[in-house]
Amino acid sequence: MKTIDSINFKGKRAIIRVDFNVPLNDKYEITDETRINATIPTIKKILTDGGSVILMSHLGRPKNGPEEKFSLKHLIPTLNKKLNTSVIFASDCIGTETKLLAENLIGGQVLLLENLRFYKEEAKGDKAFSEKLAQLADVYVNDAFGTAHRAHASTTIIARFFPNTKVFGYVMANEIASINKVLLDTKKPFTAILGGAKVSDKIGIIENLLQKVDHLIIGGGMMFTFIKAMGGEIGSSLVEIDLINTANDILSKAKQMGVSIHIPSDAIIADNFNNEANKKEVASFAIEQGWMGLDIGTKSRENFKKIILDSATILWNGPMGVFEMDNFAEGTKTIAMAVAGATTKGAYSLIGGGDSVAAINKYDLAQNVSYVSTGGGAMLEFMEGKVLPGIKAILD
Ligand code: AMP
């Protein structure tokens, strides 16, 4: 893998595509710094070599040009603190002034470019726009795993202008290594735990994983589409009726392939989508009308815990229930603790996707698992077996 470790950046200008798409509150303060923290080692390696750094990212989904709430300038105080320097800001990501700022950089300095998505050309993968960005630097570093599934100007097209000087940063290198460890260098038994709201988001990943896993645990809202497919009564639980046939196909494929699919046998149901709703525990196949399943039940938790603790490789994507509400969080918490426990026993565990990451952080267990992925959509597409354009662009 071509990483920043193969280059001595002394006297060089590196343009890094980072994923600084961080959540901001009303006062433009960053409420979760995970993505910034992840990429600091990449930036520091280049600065320590004596190189200078140009940071480029998107933030949010601006519709029509610049918008105050999507300005990357809000990140300056945090970056100054973390990098122990005074970051220079370019209020436009391209143009004469920005070019001048880039050319005047000296070793150890950092230039932050304004939001790339203030230009429509970014998401269109425009070649001329990519070339303007490329002209700012000697080396292109891609460290934005979260956008590696997009063929945008800054994530993919720009790489063409650096035929011999394009490399992965540490975030990208670690993400690729950890997914490959799970999919290619798999220690058995391999258990995948999939949850979250919708089956439709996860069909691709389920189909790819069926060829690799020993156990597939299904929880969250998506379990009810499977239960319905198996003839169960699910009350007013979340369901995707148009995917009932797909769920049946998955169940029979799993049988043919010798994969054990575990669908929760019990559930915590509520008479309302609300933390304070009345709740009770019932068989997940016999939910009465007017009630909805919002968490997996106690028997299922115990059963899944055992499977997880006996696994050597674990992939977890998506919560087991509506874990944001404390009364329906126990299933997700049990899984999080079991994954951490299996890791202590020597298993390799990869946690991916926004909400399972939020869950592992909620229980303060991020340090107790092998790897927490920074990418949601990108991680899912990689797991589906797709070639991500941002990765391919560096390898080509
Ligand atoms: P996803 O983005 O597909 O991973 O879905 C995550 C979301 O699924 C979280 O916000 C959970 O609250 C939600 N979720 C999990 N279980 C259920 C459920 N049984 N019913 C409705 N929503 C759920």
Side-chain angles (χ1 to χ4, degrees):
M1 214 189 299
K2 292 185 276 184
T3 76
I4 47 172
D5 282 336
S6 62
I7 297 179
N8 183 342
F9 286 87
K10 189 169 173 51
K12 294 198 164 74
R13 260 182 284 149
I15 188 159
I16 317 179
R17 178 47 159 107
V18 288
D19 182 3
F20 281 174
N21 185 27
V22 290
L24 299 175
N25 64 16
D26 299 349
K27 292 187 209 134
Y28 301 128
E29 292 158 344
I30 302 167
T31 53
D32 182 351
E33 296 179 346
T34 312
R35 286 179 170 161
I36 295 181
N37 292 339
T39 209
I40 295 293
T42 297
I43 302 170
K44 283 200 171 154
K45 138 79 183 165
I46 296 168
L47 298 179
T48 310
D49 273 3
S52 55
V53 163
I54 301 164
L55 298 171
M56 59 173 171
S57 178
H58 76 285
L59 173 63
R61 291 173 182 259
K63 294 250 159 10
N64 261 320
E67 265 180 84
E68 174 72 11
K69 67 173 174 185
F70 295 129
S71 174
L72 278 162
K73 71 177 181 211
H74 305 307
L75 276 61
I76 295 172
T78 304
L79 287 171
N80 283 350
K81 223 179 325 160
K82 290 190 189 290
L83 294 170
N84 202 14
T85 185
S86 242
V87 168
I88 305 161
F89 183 65
S91 54
D92 191 346
C93 62
I94 52 170
T96 325
E97 264 178 53
T98 302
K99 203 155 179 248
L100 213 61
L101 285 174
E103 282 165 2
N104 286 332
L105 285 174
I106 54 167
Q109 284 188 319
V110 180
L111 173 66
L112 172 68
L113 305 185
E114 182 56 290
N115 195 339
L116 295 160
R117 288 200 193 160
F118 286 172
Y119 284 88
K120 288 213 177 348
E121 287 85 345
E122 161 65 359
K124 284 186 184 151
D126 184 85
K127 208 171 153 205
F129 177 73
S130 309
E131 188 170 16
K132 284 181 195 152
L133 292 170
Q135 282 164 354
L136 300 175
D138 311 306
V139 182
Y140 169 61
V141 180
N142 191 345
D143 212 22
F145 182 72
T147 49
H149 57 318
R150 312 253 182 241
H152 290 178
S154 68
T155 62
T156 303
I157 314 302
I158 188 175
R160 294 182 198 165
F161 300 96
F162 298 89
N164 302 310
T165 48
K166 49 183 181 175
V167 287
F168 293 119
Y170 294 135
V171 174
M172 278 289 247
N174 289 338
E175 294 276 357
I176 296 169
S178 78
I179 298 181
N180 283 343
K181 202 165 157 91
V182 166
L183 293 186
L184 305 177
D185 180 23
T186 325
K187 303 242 171 353
K188 298 278 198 164
F190 176 15
T191 298
I193 310 149
L194 296 180
K198 292 198 198 147
V199 188
S200 45
D201 293 345
K202 314 261 159 104
I203 294 170
I205 185 170
I206 294 177
E207 294 198 329
N208 195 31
L209 285 174
L210 280 181
Q211 300 163 36
K212 304 177 193 285
V213 298
D214 302 291
H215 296 279
L216 178 58
I217 293 175
I218 294 192
M222 62 191 267
M223 73 192 225
F224 297 104
T225 301
F226 283 89
I227 293 174
K228 180 95 182 159
M230 293 158 88
E233 294 296 332
I234 57 165
S236 26
S237 306
L238 206 64
V239 67
E240 287 168 280
I241 294 291
D242 50 334
L243 288 182
I244 299 269
N245 287 340
T246 310
N248 269 321
D249 283 350
I250 290 170
L251 292 167
S252 49
K253 258 192 214 157
K255 209 168 180 187
Q256 280 165 22
M257 298 171 98
V259 174
S260 309
I261 288 208
H262 305 272
I263 312 280
S265 59
D266 53 356
I268 308 295
I269 60 170
D271 61 356
N272 224 318
F273 191 78
N274 186 320
N275 191 45
E276 310 315 323
N278 293 311
K279 60 170 189 165
K280 55 186 174 181
E281 181 159 8
V282 297
S284 56
F285 286 68
I287 301 176
E288 58 205 276
Q289 271 312 321
W291 290 74
M292 63 189 88
L294 296 186
D295 196 6
I296 59 173
T298 43
K299 261 194 244 135
S300 307
R301 286 177 216 159
E302 283 313 302
N303 182 20
F304 295 171
K305 191 166 132 185
K306 276 198 212 101
I307 297 165
I308 293 166
L309 285 170
D310 282 340
S311 302
T313 304
I314 301 159
L315 166 70
W316 180 22
N317 178 286
M320 294 291 99
V322 186
F323 76 104
E324 298 92 333
M325 300 181 195
D326 283 340
N327 285 334
F328 304 101
E330 258 332 285
T332 302
K333 184 176 178 185
T334 307
I335 297 302
M337 289 174 64
V339 174
T343 313
T344 311
K345 281 176 58 188
Y348 187 83
S349 55
L350 168 60
I351 318 297
D355 277 306
S356 22
V357 175
I360 209 92
N361 285 333
K362 178 166 175 174
Y363 305 115
D364 218 5
L365 291 169
Q367 303 304 321
N368 303 76
V369 295
S370 308
Y371 193 75
V372 179
S373 174
T374 54
M379 145 111 185
L380 287 181
E381 288 196 21
F382 200 157
M383 283 282 171
E384 284 170 19
K386 288 187 186 155
V387 178
L388 305 189
I391 294 178
K392 188 169 181 292
I394 300 284
L395 297 177
D396 274 348

